[in-house]
Structures are given as C-alpha cells and as structure tokens.
Amino acid sequence: MPAFSAIHHITICLSYIAFFAASLAAALYLIQDNAIKNKMAGMLFSRLPGLSFLDRLNYRSIGIGFPILTISILSGFIWAKSIYGVYWQGYNYRHLYSLVLWLIYALILHVRLTARLRGRKVAILSITAFFMMVLTLFGTCR
Amino acid sequence: MDLAVIGINHKTAPVEMREKLSFPANETIEANRLLKENSFLKESLILSTCNRMEIYAVCDRNKDYVSGIKSFLSRYHNMNLSEYEDRMYVRRDREAVEHLFSVASGLDSMVVGEMEISGQVKKAYQDARESLTTGKALNRLFEKALFTAKKVRTKTLIGRGAVSVGSVAVRLAEKILGKLDDKTALIIGTGAIGEKLLLYLRKNGIKSILVTNRTLEKAQGLAARFAATAVAFEGFLERLADVDIVIVSTGAPHSVIRKDDIVSLMPRRKQRPLFIIDLAVPRNVDEEINRIDNAYLYNIDDLEKIVIGNIEFRVGELENCVGIVKASADNFMNWLAIEKIKNEN
C-alpha cells in the first residue's frame, strides 16, 4: 500500500519540523529565562524574544507536531501490516522508540494543558524529547 | 557668511535660568520673526526645549551679530544681560555645525542617546520655516542635522537599553509577560518610586492597577490618581492569583512577601509567570522567590545596576556617534565653502 508509505514519510518529516521548532523555541526560552533570572539584561536579553512568546511557540509547535506524529505512527502500522503481515513488531526498536516518543510528547502536552508545569521545565522536557527523537532516527536507520 | 550658535543648556545653566530664557511652543514662530526684524541676521532659528535654548544664525562677515542676539533676548525675556551672559556659549562655523549635529542626535542630552530631541529639532526647524527666517544655509544645515540624527540612530547602538528604573522595569515586564494590555499590576505601599513606576506602566498600556496599603485611605488616594482600584491590605496575598506584576514599595522593616506564599500561589496561578519588583529599602520580598519557576524578582539595586550598565554602554558607543557627526560636518563644511565662493563672485 504505497499510499500509506507516502503518508507515513511525509507526516514524519512534518512532525520532525514542528518538534524542531518547538525545541528551538525551548532552547531560546532557557537562555532568556537564565538571563532574566540572573539579572543579565544585556545584548542577549534585548535581542531574544520574550518568555511568554517563546513558551507559547514551544507549546503550539508541539500541539501541531503531536497529531501529525500520531497520523504518522498509525499510517506506519498500516504500512507495516502490508509488508510484514502484522501491525506491530514487538522487537522492532524503531516502532518501540516511536511509541515512547509519542508518549513523551503526550505527557508534555498533558502537563502543559493541565497547567501543572509551564516555562522552564516544559522547555527542558521538549528539548529532551527532541534529542530522543534524533537518536531514534539515527539509531534505527539502517 | 558666518554661521554661529549662541545659547545655554543643562550643562551651563540651572533650570530656573533655562526657564526664564525659554520660548513657549506657541510663541516660537512670532519670536523667530521678531528676532530677524530686530537684528542684522540673514537667517535665524530658535531651538527651545526644556534642556536648552539656542539660536542658530547666519550673518554677513564682520558684523557683531552676537550682541544683537543678546539684546533681543534681554528685551524679549525682560532680563539683564549680566544675569545670564556668563552662562552662554557661542560656537562658530564648524564648531556650530558639529554642535547642532550632536544635539540633534541626542549626544548632548542629559540622558545620552535619548531621541526625543530629534523631534524637537525638527519642530524648531518647521517653525522657523513657517516664520520665513531660514534660508539656504540653515535649511541645508537642519536637514543634514536630522539626517545625521537618523544615521546615528540606525548605525549605532546609542539608543539601546532603557536608562531609567521605570523603563527598565517596563521592558523586563514585557520580556517576561508579553504585551501589557491584558495584564494587571498590584502595588503594595504608596512610596514615591512606586508611583513613578505606575506612571510608566500606565503609559505602556497596562490593563488594570490595584493599590493596597496598611492605611486604606492612602491606597485610595493613590488609586484615585491612577484610575486604579484600592484593595484591603488584609488578604492581598489572595489577590496575587490574578495579578501579573507586583510592585512592593512599603516602609516596612520586614518581609511582606515570603517564599512560601509564592510557592503555594503558583499552582493557583496555573504557573503563569509573576514579576515582582521590590523597590523597598530594606527589602520587603524574600530573595529566594527568584528561584521559583516562573517567578521573577528584581529589587531596586538590580534595576539600578541595569540602568548604570545601559548608560555605560551608551557612553561606550559615543565614539562611533562622534565619528558619524564629524563626517557629516565635513560634508556640510565643504558645501558651505563652495556656497561662500559662489556668493563672493
């Protein structure tokens, strides 16, 4: 089923782009937060965007990336079924990692939506998730 | 053809004298006309702001125009020459050109790099044109001055960084919270610096202001002046759940806000960022609060250090600005030299 293969590949790229934007916003957030907390209102402070903007950008990018990732995983399952005859191969690292990644982003969205965490900790989580994603990509591509 | 500026400014004269010699905005056009009618000046222009009063003049060589201008000032303001003469400076030709270019670029201002002065120079120029007292030389001089000011502003970092406690606080608030037009500030205490800060917040479009004080009447007094709401001191901590900026400016010798207050507050605020400004001496807010996620605490020293840093930064940029001013002055002097030759022939 080539259609699902195409959907899978396109959506995975799109979700990676969204998550990359999220982690970039998160990294800038951490730099700006650090500058403000430590009272370093110099060049960096004035050039970087404000905290609320960066926090929102991070959150929204994940909000866009997550459903796309979900579509990607689902289409991956269907595609796998057409090749291997099963939806899910338990021993396939790529599948396992993708699921873990999906859970992490779900967690980030959950804590942010329920307002348990905001700002710095969400930023750290989303950078961690992005690194894991990159590792998944390199670690499982053969 | 001689070019000169004669005047006083914040460096040479106290405010009482500057007030006496200044020209109110609605009189400038008339004053320009009077000055030209009563002197041998070929061209003239009055620049009058709260920090300076200067007269730019073009005159035929070898004519004593300076005493003419001074006697005009004495008559207009009803003052004796001896009252202000020693406070006055006269700069001629290239020095006058460089002086105006520096003034227009904010380099000669009380707060170096402030840009309001460019607008005032522009207004003075428009007024003088309206009074028909400028000619080829002053027109070109002032157009070049405004052009130089623009160049200084865009090519250097002289205007960067806030240089007052109020503007630093506003800039921080915007970086932490975003736009202020949907934000609420609470001020605790009615100290003078706090009041000034409220003024800045109002000017920058803050949505609403709450005022609290141990004596409610004082809070009500301040609230009336800022179209704010006075709230009871007891239980102001409850209010913090809906407030984005807290300004503490009481005379209390102890902490008014403790770390535990904020720790238990943050979940109720849904972790929305909170900016606390402690203007009180001794400090009224527990320093440890700055360690809490999404809570940002600045005290008066922190703000003043940033102000000093920004001023130093501006002073460091001066060299670049002076370079631009000198290059522009070179250009203008070349043009003027050619004009002089043309006139002599």
Side-chain angles (χ1 to χ4, degrees), chain B residues 49 165 172 197 238 251 272 276-277:
Chain B
T49 73
V165 167
L172 276 165
L197 195 49
E238 294 305 307
R272 273 182 301 117
I276 305 177
I277 305 164

Side-chain angles (χ1 to χ4, degrees), chain B residues 309-344:
Chain B
N310 286 348
I311 290 174
E312 278 170 3
F313 180 80
R314 285 188 177 193
V315 171
E317 278 293 294
L318 264 181
E319 207 177 310
N320 292 338
C321 302
V322 170
I324 293 175
V325 163
K326 283 198 185 298
S328 290
D330 282 341
N331 273 337
F332 182 80
M333 292 315 287
N334 287 343
W335 174 83
L336 192 67
I338 294 167
E339 282 301 301
K340 280 181 184 172
I341 294 167
K342 274 193 211 159
N343 283 351
E344 277 159 23

Side-chain angles (χ1 to χ4, degrees), chain A residues 100-120:
Chain A
V100 170
L101 195 69
W102 186 85
L103 284 172
I104 291 173
Y105 277 114
L107 178 80
I108 296 176
L109 277 181
H110 176 71
V111 294
R112 184 63 169 71
L113 270 170
T114 53
R116 291 223 181 102
L117 294 182
R118 200 186 176 113
R120 202 174 65 89

Side-chain angles (χ1 to χ4, degrees), chain B residues 268-331:
Chain B
R268 272 194 293 139
R269 294 179 55 78
K270 299 193 166 147
Q271 301 292 335
R272 273 182 301 117
L274 178 67
F275 181 29
I276 305 177
I277 305 164
D278 184 4
L279 299 172
V281 179
R283 287 169 299 173
N284 280 173
V285 183
D286 186 353
E287 276 294 302
E288 287 292 304
I289 287 172
N290 196 40
R291 289 173 184 270
I292 302 171
D293 269 0
N294 302 313
Y296 302 85
L297 170 65
Y298 274 68
N299 64 38
I300 185 75
D301 273 11
D302 298 331
L303 296 174
E304 270 168 3
K305 265 184 214 151
I306 294 170
V307 168
I308 292 168
N310 286 348
I311 290 174
E312 278 170 3
F313 180 80
R314 285 188 177 193
V315 171
E317 278 293 294
L318 264 181
E319 207 177 310
N320 292 338
C321 302
V322 170
I324 293 175
V325 163
K326 283 198 185 298
S328 290
D330 282 341
N331 273 337

